[in-house]
C-alpha cells in the first residue's frame, strides 16, 4: 500500500494477522513457502538444520496476514500459522516518506 | 590446539527444535513417522495436506474414513495418516477399497495412489470400479513416471520425455486420465496440479461428500527423477511451470485435456453428474425383483440382518 495521504477510514480498516511457527527439523528446504508467500514474509536461512537443509526464517516480523498458504503448500507439515488479533494498519506503512515525487 | 578442540566440541549453529508447538493437522497424522520419506520438493506432501484440509472441511467423522494406497512413492500416504488405512499390494488398492466400500457402506473410502499403481498395473481395476460406480474417491498423484523404482517410463509419460527406460525420449502415446475415468463411468472428474492447493482441497471436499465414484488427478512435481532426467530444474521450477502453463477450464470435454511434454496443462472440474451408486442400485434392483423377500445389507453395525428376518 502506497498512498499519498492518510485514508480517511484508516481507523476502520483491520488487517488479519497471523503468527508463523516453523518446525525447523521437519523442513527439507523446498522453498515453496518462501516463493509463494504473498507478503514475502519468509526467507531461506543461511544456516542448516540437523539434516542439512536450509529452512525458512521470518524476515518481516508482523507482516503475515494469516492467509495460510505456507501451511497448505508445505509438503513436510513443517510450517503453520496461528491466527492472531487483527491489527490496524500502521500509518508509516501506508505512507512511505521520500516516495512523494 | 585447545582453541580448535573447543570449536570442534562447541555445538554448531543449529537451532533447538520447537517441541511445544503442534501442527494443526497433527490429529490426522502419525507424527511418530514424520519427517516422511518423500524427496525435498516432492508434491505428494502437498496433496496430503490438501486431503487433510478437505477432511476437516467436509466434517466427516474420521472414524468412518478409510484410506487405501498401493505401491509407489504415493503409496506411503496411507501410512502417514492417522485414519483406518491400508497399504495394499501393487495395483490392488482399488479391489481392496471395493471390498471395504461394499462390506461396510458407512465407510467413506479414499484411494490415494500414483499413476503407475492405479493406471498401469491397476488399470483394469479402475475401469471396473468406475463402471460399477462404487462409492469411493480416487486421488491419483501423477508424476509422469515410476519414481520409486528409478524413473522408468510409464503409461502417463508424455511423448519425448526422457526416462530411465527411454533414454532417447518416450515414444508411446500416454493415457489421458480424466478421459479414461469419464468414459469408464466416473461421476466426478477433476484435475489439478500440486500448486492449486485451495481448488484441489475444494474438489476433494466435493468428491468426499458425493456418493459414487469420483476421480481426482493431481499433477505433482518429481524433482529427483523426472525433473532431473529432463533437466527441468527443481520441484520449485516445476511449480513455476504449473503456474505459467496451467489453464483452468471447468466442464471442458475431457477428450481435449491431453498433456504434452512441457506444454499447457488444462485443469479444472471436468465432470460432475449424478448417478445411482453401486449399493443403491443393487438394493433398488433386487427389491424390485424379489419384493419383501429382499433385505438390504446395511453394514456390520446395523441390527437387522437377513438371518433375523428369516427367524
Amino acid at each position: 500500500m502506497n498512498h499519498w495521504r492518510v485514508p480517511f477510514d484508516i481507523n476502520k480498516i483491520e488487517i488479519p494477522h497471523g503468527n508463523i511457527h516453523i518446525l525447523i527439523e521437519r523442513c527439507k528446504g523446498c522453498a515453496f513457502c518462501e516463493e509463494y508467500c504473498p507478503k514475502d514474509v519468509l526467507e531461506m536461512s543461511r544456516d542448516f538444520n540437523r539434516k542439512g537443509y536450509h529452512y525458512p526464517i521470518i524476515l518481516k516480523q508482523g507482516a503475515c496476514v494469516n492467509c495460510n498458504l505456507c501451511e497448505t503448500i508445505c509438503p513436510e507439515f513443517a510450517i503453520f500459522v496461528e491466527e492472531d488479533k487483527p491489527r490496524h494498519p500502521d500509518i508509516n506503512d501506508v505512507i512511505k516518506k521520500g516516495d512523494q515525487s | 590446539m585447545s582453541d580448535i578442540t573447543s570449536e570442534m566440541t562447541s555445538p554448531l549453529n543449529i537451532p533447538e527444535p520447537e517441541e511445544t508447538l503442534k501442527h494443526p493437522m497433527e490429529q490426522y497424522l502419525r507424527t511418530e513417522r514424520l519427517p516422511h520419506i518423500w524427496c525435498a520438493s516432492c508434491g505428494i506432501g502437498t496433496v496430503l495436506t490438501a486431503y487433510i484440509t478437505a477432511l476437516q472441511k467436509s466434517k466427516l467423522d474420521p472414524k468412518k474414513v478409510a484410506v487405501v494406497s498401493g505401491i509407489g512413492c504415493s503409496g506411503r500416504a496411507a501410512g502417514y495418516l492417522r485414519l483406518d488405512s491400508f497399504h495394499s499390494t501393487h495395483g490392488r488398492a482399488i479391489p481392496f477399497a471395493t471390498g471395504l466400500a461394499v462390506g461396510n457402506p458407512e465407510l467413506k473410502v479414499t484411494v490415494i495412489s500414483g499413476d503407475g499403481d492405479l493406471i498401469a498395473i491397476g488399470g483394469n481395476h479402475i475401469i471396473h470400479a468406475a463402471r460399477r460406480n462404487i462409492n469411493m474417491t480416487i486421488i491419483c498423484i501423477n508424476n509422469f513416471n515410476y519414481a520409486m523404482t528409478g524413473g522408468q517410463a510409464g503409461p502417463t509419460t508424455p511423448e519425448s520425455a526422457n526416462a530411465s527406460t527411454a533414454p532417447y525420449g518416450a515414444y508411446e502415446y500416454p493415457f489421458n486420465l480424466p478421459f479414461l475415468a469419464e468414459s469408464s463411468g466416473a461421476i466426478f472428474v477433476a484435475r489439478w496440479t500440486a500448486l492449486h492447493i485451495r481448488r484441489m482441497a475444494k474438489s476433494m471436499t466435493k468428491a468426499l461428500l458425493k456418493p459414487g465414484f469420483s476421480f481426482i488427478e493431481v499433477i505433482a512435481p518429481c524433482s529427483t527423477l523426472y525433473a532431473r532426467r529432463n533437466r527441468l530444474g527443481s520441484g520449485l521450477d516445476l511449480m513455476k511451470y504449473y503456474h505459467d502453463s496451467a489453464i483452468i477450464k471447468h466442464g471442458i470435454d475431457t477428450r481435449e485435456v491431453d498433456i504434452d511434454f512441457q506444454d499447457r496443462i488444462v485443469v479444472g472440474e471436468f465432470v460432475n453428474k449424478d448417478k445411482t451408486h453401486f449399493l443403491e442400485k443393487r438394493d433398488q434392483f433386487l427389491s424390485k425383483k424379489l419384493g419383501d423377500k429382499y433385505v438390504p445389507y446395511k453394514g456390520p453395525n446395523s441390527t437387522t440382518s437377513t438371518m433375523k428376518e428369516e427367524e
Side-chain angles (χ1 to χ4, degrees):
Chain A
M1 280 192 297
N2 231 348
H3 298 279
W4 59 274
R5 62 160 173 78
V6 179
F8 293 129
D9 58 348
I10 193 157
N11 294 323
K12 291 177 192 165
I13 294 169
E14 283 191 335
I15 296 173
H17 180 65
N19 289 324
I20 303 168
H21 298 288
I22 300 159
L23 303 167
I24 290 163
E25 293 311 318
R26 277 193 200 164
C27 180
K28 286 183 192 157
C30 66
F32 290 174
C33 54
E34 183 223 11
E35 174 71 25
Y36 291 105
C37 176
K39 288 282 171 186
D40 294 328
V41 176
L42 300 162
E43 189 194 42
M44 298 314 281
S45 68
R46 304 182 105 210
D47 296 332
F48 300 99
N49 65 8
R50 275 163 215 274
K51 297 213 171 177
Y53 294 108
H54 296 288
Y55 52 90
I57 48 170
I58 299 162
L59 190 66
K60 297 180 200 162
Q61 194 74 41
C64 174
V65 291
N66 194 30
C67 72
N68 272 357
L69 195 117
C70 54
E71 183 185 318
T72 327
I73 208 166
C74 177
E76 312 288 332
F77 306 98
I79 187 166
F80 62 97
V81 188
E82 227 177 10
E83 197 176 353
D84 206 351
K85 281 179 191 167
R87 292 181 181 178
H88 292 294
D90 190 8
I91 291 173
N92 295 324
D93 289 345
V94 176
I95 295 178
K96 282 180 185 156
K97 280 174 189 171
D99 280 359
Q100 293 155 349
S101 55
Chain B
M1 191 64 193
S2 62
D3 288 347
I4 294 167
T5 46
S6 69
E7 256 177 45
M8 293 280 277
T9 49
S10 68
L12 295 164
N13 194 10
I14 294 171
E16 284 300 310
E18 294 182 69
E19 280 178 2
T20 49
L21 293 162
K22 277 196 171 179
H23 196 280
M25 289 175 187
E26 284 201 355
Q27 54 165 323
Y28 291 95
L29 290 168
R30 294 181 204 264
T31 42
E32 67 274 12
R33 286 169 160 248
L34 293 176
H36 51 62
I37 60 145
W38 296 316
C39 308
S41 71
C42 169
I44 303 172
T46 309
V47 181
L48 207 57
T49 321
Y51 179 67
I52 294 172
T53 316
L55 271 184
Q56 285 170 332
K57 275 189 186 162
S58 63
K59 289 177 183 152
L60 289 169
D61 183 3
K63 287 182 180 170
K64 288 182 182 169
V65 177
V67 175
V68 185
S69 66
I71 299 297
C73 293
S74 39
R76 294 268 176 163
Y80 295 122
L81 286 166
R82 196 183 288 281
L83 299 164
D84 285 341
S85 55
F86 189 75
H87 190 175
S88 76
T89 45
H90 196 13
R92 315 298 170 226
I94 293 177
F96 188 86
T98 306
L100 280 181
V102 175
N104 190 352
E106 286 180 0
L107 274 183
K108 183 70 220 181
V109 186
T110 313
V111 177
I112 302 180
S113 208
D115 55 316
D117 183 76
L118 286 173
I119 308 300
I121 189 167
N124 203 4
H125 303 303
I126 197 167
I127 292 169
H128 287 283
R131 174 182 64 80
R132 289 171 174 152
N133 198 13
I134 288 165
N135 187 11
M136 62 165 83
T137 303
I138 311 281
I139 295 167
C140 176
I141 301 167
N142 183 0
N143 54 11
F144 301 124
N145 61 7
Y146 290 104
M148 184 164 268
T149 50
Q152 289 85 357
T156 50
T157 311
E159 249 180 275
S160 84
N162 189 300
S164 62
T165 51
Y168 303 107
Y171 46 80
E172 295 172 11
Y173 298 109
F175 253 134
N176 175 356
L177 303 189
F179 182 44
L180 174 73
E182 193 200 355
S183 50
S184 311
I187 56 157
F188 183 90
V189 181
R191 176 199 272 160
W192 295 108
T193 73
L195 183 70
H196 297 87
I197 37 176
R198 297 212 199 280
R199 290 183 172 98
M200 195 205 317
K202 252 185 208 173
S203 282
M204 284 180 187
T205 318
K206 275 189 202 171
L208 283 171
L209 295 174
K210 201 172 170 65
F213 187 90
S214 41
F215 180 85
I216 298 170
E217 180 193 0
V218 184
I219 291 158
C222 175
S223 54
T224 311
L225 288 157
Y226 183 74
R228 186 172 59 84
R229 289 201 73 92
N230 289 294
R231 298 170 204 273
L232 302 174
S234 66
L236 186 60
D237 292 319
L238 277 179
M239 287 291 234
K240 284 176 188 163
Y241 152 63
Y242 298 153
H243 179 268
D244 294 340
S245 40
I247 309 162
I248 300 174
K249 280 184 180 174
H250 293 298
I252 192 178
D253 191 345
T254 47
R255 274 174 287 193
E256 292 161 26
V257 298
D258 292 283
I259 300 174
D260 290 328
F261 181 61
Q262 291 301 96
D263 198 13
R264 59 113 178 82
I265 302 174
V266 182
V267 295
E269 283 172 15
F270 304 130
V271 180
N272 191 354
K273 59 188 177 194
D274 290 313
K275 209 161 97 177
T276 335
H277 69 81
F278 175 75
L279 292 173
E280 218 173 301
K281 188 144 195 298
R282 182 193 65 183
D283 291 346
Q284 277 175 10
F285 183 82
L286 287 177
S287 47
K288 209 189 220 175
K289 282 271 171 192
L290 301 173
D292 293 340
K293 268 200 292 183
Y294 180 69
V295 181
Y297 175 66
K298 296 280 184 206
N301 298 329
S302 68
T303 47
T304 53
S305 72
T306 332
M307 293 297 287
K308 278 181 187 170
E309 291 291 318
E310 278 173 6
E311 283 167 12

